[in-house]
Amino acid sequence: MKVIAYRNYGTPDVLQLEEWEIPTPKKNEIRIKIYNTAVNSGDWRIRKADPKLAKLYFGIFRPKQPILGISISGVVDSIGENVTQFKIGDKILGSTGMRLGAYAEFTCIPETSVITILPEEISFAEGACLSFGGLTALDFIQKCNLQKKQTIIVYGGSSSVGTATIQLAKLFGATVTAVCSKNNFELVKSIGADFVMDYKQFHSDDHRTQYDVVFECVGKSSIVSNLRHLSIGGVLVLVGASFKEMFQAAWISLTKRISIKFGPIAETLENLKLLTELTRTKKIKVVIDKTYSLEEMAEAHRYVEAGHKKGNVAINILS
């Protein structure tokens, strides 16, 4: 089978096409013939070991798992012993989690992974792009306990997490302001943003509005600048916080009693099923910017790492 592997940390050029044997599912595992995956911010950060401390988990000198990717959609084509939840031929979507391995034509994962049936109303590309941004957005919104009629500002509103956050926040009944570049205003308004502003407006002295939730999706604004716009008793969300920012946020939370949410999310099957149903019934949509082939993975990484994508970037694996 074809895989995209990286044997060393570095630029997108470390991503190379290789031929591997097709894996055999073990007990309680299913094998998935992958139709689509997606390139997310987490993928390129792992690839280049950003931050360097990530090497403690992924491999100090070289990657322990050379195949990146967590978002998948495809078809179950083989099952191991004792599998009861899926059968051969089932169309699925979901996440491989920290096992990674989605940049390949096949992967084997436990049947208890965060995966569910792909409805006919959702394409394989949409299915692959649904989990990363959707699960991240939903988990943080739940941690915020976002309520009807509350106000939320989404910094990086046109990102994968941002586009999901805008739509979910609207479903929760909140009033949503999206911060993005001007050429993305129409996109974020089309998915539910009540108000829009560009990054210059957000950081200007004239912007004095405070919000119940400040939701920073892309890790490009400082904690101090975000706290300026947080109402008393509000919640600051830092999706892309660096380790330095996590320590800073923890200290502020402890000493100033300000609620700041950050760190890894809890990927749950319950949330994936909810997102799938919301997408199936067209209550939310998966925004896809560009699609690349498996062989174009390095190019896809360059595009995503540049930070200008709108929503998600899909990878076609099945020709």
Side-chain angles (χ1 to χ4, degrees):
M1 68 172 182
K2 293 179 181 179
V3 308
I4 295 294
Y6 77 126
R7 301 294 179 173
N8 297 287
Y9 299 107
T11 68
D13 293 326
V14 300
L15 298 166
Q16 297 293 319
L17 184 67
E18 296 183 4
E19 285 285 342
W20 287 30
E21 289 188 9
I22 297 176
T24 300
K26 300 175 182 177
K27 186 177 180 179
N28 300 316
E29 284 188 342
I30 60 174
R31 186 173 70 199
I32 299 166
K33 185 175 185 179
I34 302 176
Y35 281 46
N36 284 91
T37 185
V39 178
N40 307 304
S41 58
D43 295 347
W44 67 258
R45 289 186 183 279
I46 297 171
R47 187 208 73 229
K48 66 187 296 185
D50 178 16
K52 299 299 183 185
L53 283 174
K55 290 183 177 182
L56 294 175
Y57 183 88
F58 295 104
I60 294 176
F61 300 107
R62 62 183 58 86
K64 292 184 290 185
Q65 161 57 297
I67 304 176
L68 288 169
I70 64 171
S71 304
I72 56 171
S73 67
V75 175
V76 177
D77 87 320
S78 182
I79 59 175
E81 293 181 32
N82 298 339
V83 170
T84 60
Q85 298 181 43
F86 297 94
K87 65 182 184 300
I88 293 174
D90 281 345
K91 297 178 181 179
I92 63 90
L93 79 154
S95 171
T96 63
M98 299 313 290
R99 296 169 64 92
L100 308 179
Y103 290 4
E105 291 183 314
F106 295 88
T107 192
C108 292
I109 58 176
E111 68 166 338
T112 54
S113 300
V114 183
I115 53 174
T116 191
I117 297 296
L118 177 74
E120 291 295 331
E121 295 86 351
I122 302 176
S123 70
F124 282 107
E126 290 170 331
C129 293
L130 173 64
S131 59
F132 179 79
L135 287 172
T136 301
L138 183 54
D139 183 65
F140 275 119
I141 284 175
Q142 291 168 336
K143 288 174 179 175
C144 291
N145 193 27
L146 186 67
Q147 300 293 310
K148 189 175 182 179
K149 295 185 179 181
Q150 284 191 315
T151 56
I152 179 173
I153 187 165
V154 183
Y155 190 99
S158 59
S159 65
S160 173
V161 176
T163 52
T165 301
I166 290 168
Q167 296 177 83
L168 290 168
K170 286 299 295 181
L171 288 177
F172 274 69
T175 300
V176 180
T177 299
V179 184
C180 59
S181 59
K182 288 182 178 179
N183 61 351
N184 291 329
F185 279 4
E186 290 306 313
L187 167 64
V188 296
K189 286 192 290 186
S190 74
I191 58 174
D194 298 291
F195 305 101
V196 294
M197 67 176 68
D198 63 19
Y199 297 108
K200 185 177 180 180
Q201 288 174 285
F202 177 84
H203 293 290
S204 73
D205 292 336
D206 293 332
H207 179 216
R208 297 188 178 92
T209 308
Q210 293 187 319
Y211 306 85
D212 297 306
V213 176
V214 177
F215 203 110
E216 215 286 12
C217 298
V218 290
K220 292 185 179 179
S221 60
S222 69
I223 292 178
V224 172
S225 65
N226 290 318
L227 289 177
R228 284 181 55 229
H229 301 293
L230 188 66
S231 62
I232 296 174
V235 182
L236 170 60
V237 174
L238 303 174
V239 174
S242 65
F243 280 111
K244 179 181 178 181
E245 289 171 327
M246 289 182 190
F247 284 120
Q248 183 184 1
W251 178 252
I252 292 172
S253 294
L254 180 65
T255 59
K256 296 187 177 181
R257 305 294 183 183
I258 297 174
S259 180
I260 306 179
K261 307 296 183 183
F262 57 88
I265 67 161
E267 288 189 338
T268 68
L269 183 57
E270 180 182 6
N271 278 355
L272 180 64
K273 287 183 175 180
L274 173 58
L275 290 166
T276 302
E277 179 61 14
L278 291 174
T279 306
R280 186 190 72 80
T281 55
K282 303 189 184 307
K283 291 184 172 65
I284 63 173
K285 65 180 288 187
V286 180
V287 177
I288 298 179
D289 183 1
K290 290 188 177 185
T291 301
Y292 295 85
S293 68
L294 185 66
E295 291 80 3
E296 296 173 316
M297 187 65 77
E299 185 180 346
H301 266 243
R302 288 189 188 92
Y303 181 68
V304 173
E305 189 175 350
H308 302 301
K309 68 179 176 67
K310 303 174 184 179
N312 301 273
V313 168
I315 303 294
N316 280 338
I317 295 179
L318 184 70
S319 299

